[in-house]
Amino acid sequence: MLTLLAFAMVASFMTLIMTGRVSALVALIVTPVAFGLMAGFGTELGPMMLEGVRSLAPTGVMLAFAILYFGLMTDAGLFDPLVRLIVRVVHGDPVRIVVGSAVLALLVSMDGDGSTTYLICCSAMIPLYRRMGLNPLVLACLLMLACGVTNITPWGGPTARAASALGLEPAAIFVPMIPAMLVGAAFVLFVAWVLGRGERRRLQHLSADGRIHAPGDAELAEDLVRANDMTERPRLIWLNAALTLGLLAALVAGLLPLPVLFMIASALALLLNYPSLEAQKARIAAHAPNILPVIVLIFAAGIFTGVLNGTGMTQAMAASVVGAIPPGLGPHMAPITALISMPFTFFISNDAFFFGILPILSQAAGAYGIAPEEMARAALTSQAVHLLSPLVPSTYLLVGLVRVELAQHQRFTLPWAAALSLVLLASVIATGVTPFSR
């Protein structure tokens, strides 16, 4: 009974947000409460939901101050030189702009943190996309695909989870996957080229004479940075750059928890660029509309995950799926794990999958001579699909930055994300680091 309710809850939630019947905020709160009550949990739901909110609270704090920090850096003009460089390189060509977005995303996302990647890349590229009339869904898609490849790095999170769950060294999982990651990066660039050509055709079709009328490089660059004239601090650009590089270095080194680092960096950015009380209030108020929608969605997601985990629905779904795999498919457990990890990491958290489900699958695969490292690599190929999950906090940050609805982003990106996951799976099988069968 609990298993049926769990699958029904997930299906109802996805139907509500994909069809646009209600907002993601409403669906994240109402759906788990309704199905939790149907499962027979009454007053017990309160502590479950609070535990879920509590678990995501540090992420909410981190994103709030990360949005504030990078917003302040944009106001101060830190990214203006990067915008001018991009304008000179792309020359107003949609294909070059879109491919350049993918290249930038692949480079920036090597730090393994999706939130930082979204903030930096959107700060640099969103003004150009809006000025040229490009579809912001294209940018959101490419940023998420790039993170789906680079998130496999040991410092990205999923690899560390898989290694911890299976008692392995992260390097033993990651190093053999490098060729597959390179193939995945090439696929992201190919997708960018395809989407860029589509945007070029769309803009040509909208033009009266079938040509794209882009302003000159100098005019375009000036137009893009002009909005920050009153808040720019050009004389402080090197200090701001040093502060940002120091922040990124501290993030990679793990000197302090991420929320604390962004809180300290935001306070320093305000003191450095806007020392007066009035200016600080104005800058905080200016970025509040970008911060509030992300934070409330993250806390709402905490209610969903709290009920899903607290009621035992996650474990029930895992047991039903593992039990449904016929013994005859045992020699193919690695690709099966890769395929089922796509929907599973979409509907439940990475922690729930890697610590709750992957060990069970790996133990079953061991009877057929499939090593835990091979199972871990198979499971990691699904990260591009996982990042589209409404339970991933950074997803709300991305859709907020590009100003699109979550359902729009999911419908546009999901086919490409699934294709990237299949490309990664085919690559790890072709290179022999994950077997198709034993």
Side-chain angles (χ1 to χ4, degrees):
M1 180 64 178
L2 188 61
T3 302
L4 292 176
L5 284 175
F7 282 109
M9 183 177 84
V10 170
S12 300
F13 168 71
M14 291 307 302
T15 301
L16 286 173
I17 63 172
M18 292 293 282
T19 58
R21 297 291 179 87
V22 297
S23 67
L25 174 66
V26 173
L28 284 166
I29 297 173
V30 173
T31 308
V33 171
F35 279 88
L37 291 174
M38 282 190 280
F41 296 90
T43 57
E44 301 100 317
L45 288 177
M48 294 177 194
M49 291 187 283
L50 282 179
E51 180 58 32
V53 171
R54 192 178 296 115
S55 67
L56 288 181
T59 302
V61 173
M62 185 271 290
L63 288 180
F65 283 93
I67 295 170
L68 177 60
Y69 177 80
F70 283 100
L72 292 171
M73 290 297 103
T74 301
D75 293 342
L78 176 62
F79 300 106
D80 288 354
L82 178 59
V83 170
R84 291 189 174 96
L85 174 61
I86 292 172
V87 168
R88 286 198 301 269
V89 171
V90 301
H91 295 300
D93 178 21
V95 177
R96 291 188 181 186
I97 294 173
V98 174
V99 173
S101 304
V103 173
L104 180 64
L106 287 168
L107 293 175
V108 175
S109 63
M110 285 302 296
D111 71 345
D113 181 60
S115 301
T116 305
T117 301
Y118 300 154
L119 286 161
I120 293 176
C121 293
C122 287
S123 298
M125 300 303 301
I126 276 293
L128 185 58
Y129 269 67
R130 288 179 181 152
R131 179 63 179 83
M132 295 295 300
L134 297 173
N135 187 353
L137 288 170
V138 171
L139 179 61
C141 173
L142 294 174
L143 295 184
M144 188 160 280
L145 292 182
C147 289
V149 174
T150 56
N151 209 29
I152 299 174
T153 55
W155 52 88
T159 300
R161 289 183 176 91
S164 299
L166 299 180
L168 305 170
E169 287 294 325
I173 301 172
F174 167 69
V175 173
M177 289 194 72
I178 292 177
M181 291 177 64
L182 294 175
V183 173
F187 180 76
V188 173
L189 295 178
F190 169 74
V191 172
W193 178 77
V194 172
L195 294 178
R197 285 176 60 86
E199 285 299 285
R200 179 195 281 167
R201 288 193 298 269
R202 183 179 66 84
L203 293 177
Q204 288 173 340
H205 179 72
L206 292 175
S207 174
D209 58 2
R211 298 174 60 189
I212 298 174
H213 299 280
D217 290 354
E219 179 187 351
L220 179 57
E222 183 62 26
D223 184 41
L224 291 173
V225 302
R226 192 181 299 143
N228 294 332
D229 281 349
M230 301 300 294
T231 59
E232 279 187 349
R233 299 294 184 266
R235 289 180 295 179
L236 299 176
I237 190 168
W238 292 112
L239 287 176
N240 284 320
L243 177 61
T244 302
L245 291 175
L247 170 62
L248 295 177
L251 291 175
V252 174
L255 296 181
L256 291 171
L258 294 184
V260 176
L261 285 173
F262 275 108
M263 292 174 74
I264 294 172
S266 297
L268 292 176
L270 282 169
L271 285 173
L272 176 64
N273 295 283
Y274 310 102
S276 72
L277 177 60
E278 291 77 13
Q280 291 174 8
K281 286 182 177 179
R283 289 300 90 211
I284 293 172
H287 295 291
N290 295 326
I291 295 172
L292 181 61
V294 175
I295 303 309
V296 297
L297 282 169
I298 289 171
F299 288 142
I303 289 180
F304 190 95
T305 57
V307 172
L308 197 64
N309 294 329
T311 58
M313 290 183 179
T314 299
Q315 296 84 344
M317 287 192 294
S320 66
V321 171
V322 173
I325 300 176
L329 295 178
H332 307 288
M333 281 296 290
I336 289 174
T337 298
L339 294 175
I340 67 173
S341 68
M342 283 192 256
F344 255 96
T345 58
F346 185 88
F347 293 123
I348 64 176
S349 67
N350 263 347
D351 286 337
F353 179 78
F354 284 107
F355 291 110
I357 299 176
L358 182 59
I360 300 174
L361 294 171
S362 181
Q363 185 176 7
Y368 300 93
I370 302 174
E373 294 90 343
E374 297 167 337
M375 292 292 290
R377 295 182 199 118
L380 288 170
T381 61
S382 65
Q383 284 306 293
V385 175
H386 164 71
L387 290 173
L388 274 172
S389 170
L391 304 181
V392 176
S394 62
T395 302
Y396 297 109
L397 172 63
L398 178 58
V399 297
L401 290 171
V402 300
R403 300 180 187 176
V404 298
E405 293 295 326
L406 175 61
Q408 292 177 305
H409 173 51
Q410 288 176 327
R411 286 194 295 266
F412 185 91
T413 306
L414 184 57
W416 296 112
L420 174 59
S421 295
L422 293 175
V423 167
L424 289 171
L425 174 59
S427 299
V428 295
I429 291 175
T431 54
V433 299
T434 294
F436 179 76
S437 64
R438 286 291 190 203

